[in-house]
Amino acid sequence: MTLRAGVIGWPIEQSKSPIIHAYWLDKFGIEGIYEKIALSPDGFQEGILDLISKGYRGANVTIPHKEAAFQICDTVSERALKIGAVNTLVFEDGKVTGDNTDGYGFLENIRSSLENWNTETGPAFVIGAGGAARGILWALEEAGYKDIRIWNRTVAKAEALAEVFSETTTPVSGDLSDAINGAAFLVNTSSLGMVGQPQLEINLTGLHPDAVVTDIVYNPLETDLLRQANSKGFETVDGLGMLLHQATPGFEKWFGQKPEVTPELRELVLK
Ligand code: ATR
């Protein structure tokens, strides 16, 4: 019996997830299919029921459905509950279970990219307060940061997220280049710097001398932020690994094998 799963979005053509899962299916020799599934917001719930009736094992969920997916779950993981959104659905016995692996993917990427990730060097600093920022805040708490600062163009959104993660996180406002003073871990979760979007205007001079700089934008792979950080001698981590690592829990649930993120997979997705 062919095992089926896929990625649901609107639009979905741009998704790289099928490349990742096809690579692992091939590696393990599993008879499975992972496909792109276009569902409009109006047709989301009905589309899910249709997939269940066809025997799908589950699906990844991407923009704009992560909150709607959260709503339709019978049960969700603790981290999905904290993040308030779901990117991985498992269908079993007619029930829907939801998880959010974005923060996990971020954590695994940083852990596997840095030889020594010291979360005690100084505060972490998050740029942006959209959907992606929630997963990153979860990850930074999980990593052990006690002082996380969040900055966003729309200050009210940073304030709202800081309330959700109130044990660790405080909103900051004002000039971004000043606000990052002393930060030891900087992550851009906004869409700034992505192909077709405006650049992130920032001067990194005030960062802690041992700061790590990372971007969840991976197109381009080396964003202006990472280029500036590299040129100033800061350690950097690009955003592609997060995409690869967030895919592993879903694959394991649907196809029964624990996959690995390899340099070969990275090259394949980059092509
Ligand atoms: P995602 O789910 O990818 O995080 P999102 O929820 O639309 O997407 O959030 C996009 C983030 O990029 C937000 O933090 C947004 O800032 P606002 O909350 O002020 O909208 C940020 N962003 C997008 N375009 C921006 C721009 N031109 N200048 C500053 N911030 C921008």
Side-chain angles (χ1 to χ4, degrees):
M1 193 191 69
T2 303
L3 303 175
R4 301 182 85 96
V7 55
I8 304 168
W10 186 262
I12 196 59
E13 271 324 302
Q14 77 297 341
S15 175
K16 306 242 187 266
S17 293
I19 301 173
I20 301 170
H21 289 272
Y23 170 82
W24 288 327
L25 286 169
D26 182 57
K27 266 245 125 100
F28 289 112
I30 295 170
E31 194 186 327
I33 293 177
Y34 182 100
E35 62 201 316
K36 293 176 185 170
I37 302 164
L39 290 181
S40 72
D42 281 351
F44 180 71
Q45 197 159 353
E46 204 179 317
I48 294 289
L49 293 175
D50 184 49
L51 296 177
I52 293 172
S53 74
K54 287 180 174 145
Y56 278 67
R57 310 276 294 178
N60 282 125
V61 178
T62 187
I63 293 165
H65 298 309
K66 290 185 185 183
E67 280 84 18
F70 180 84
Q71 296 299 333
I72 59 134
C73 287
D74 296 294
T75 50
V76 298
S77 65
E78 208 174 300
R79 62 191 178 200
L81 192 61
K82 186 86 194 255
I83 296 168
V86 150
N87 76 335
T88 305
L89 296 173
V90 175
F91 309 146
E92 217 166 16
D93 305 326
K95 296 264 189 258
V96 182
T97 308
D99 190 10
N100 190 312
T101 68
D102 287 332
Y104 165 84
F106 177 78
L107 265 186
E108 288 299 299
N109 184 37
I110 303 292
R111 283 182 177 144
S112 61
S113 304
L114 297 179
E115 230 160 83
N116 176 19
W117 187 11
N118 186 349
T119 57
E120 313 216 315
T121 310
F125 195 100
V126 176
I127 300 168
R134 301 179 79 102
I136 304 301
L137 287 174
W138 174 87
L140 292 173
E141 268 195 354
E142 191 73 9
Y145 283 100
K146 303 277 183 278
D147 178 359
I148 305 168
R149 300 164 189 185
I150 180 165
W151 182 99
N152 192 45
R153 173 180 60 177
T154 311
V155 178
K157 281 169 70 181
E159 289 171 346
L161 271 192
E163 259 175 53
V164 177
F165 295 86
S166 60
E167 279 174 25
T168 54
T169 306
T170 44
V172 291
S173 55
D175 181 73
L176 179 58
S177 302
D178 293 335
I180 62 165
N181 257 327
F185 187 91
L186 179 70
V187 50
N188 173 44
T189 75
S190 80
S191 48
L192 295 172
M194 195 186 292
V195 165
Q197 299 289 323
Q199 290 300 344
L200 174 61
E201 304 286 346
I202 189 171
N203 181 332
L204 300 178
T205 308
L207 284 178
H208 188 288
D210 297 326
V212 173
V213 178
T214 180
D215 204 324
I216 72 162
V217 171
Y218 57 84
N219 186 17
L221 196 56
E222 189 186 47
T223 58
D224 262 21
L225 172 67
L226 296 183
R227 191 173 309 130
Q228 187 192 154
N230 281 324
S231 76
K232 288 193 157 71
F234 296 114
E235 199 163 2
T236 61
V237 180
D238 70 56
L240 183 62
M242 176 180 172
L243 174 77
L244 306 179
H245 282 283
Q246 63 76 34
T248 63
F251 186 91
E252 190 177 357
K253 292 228 172 71
W254 309 317
F255 301 118
Q257 299 276 357
K258 195 179 170 74
E260 256 186 87
V261 172
T262 60
E264 189 189 19
L265 174 61
R266 203 181 139 88
E267 283 312 308
L268 188 69
V269 172
L270 273 177
K271 268 198 280 168

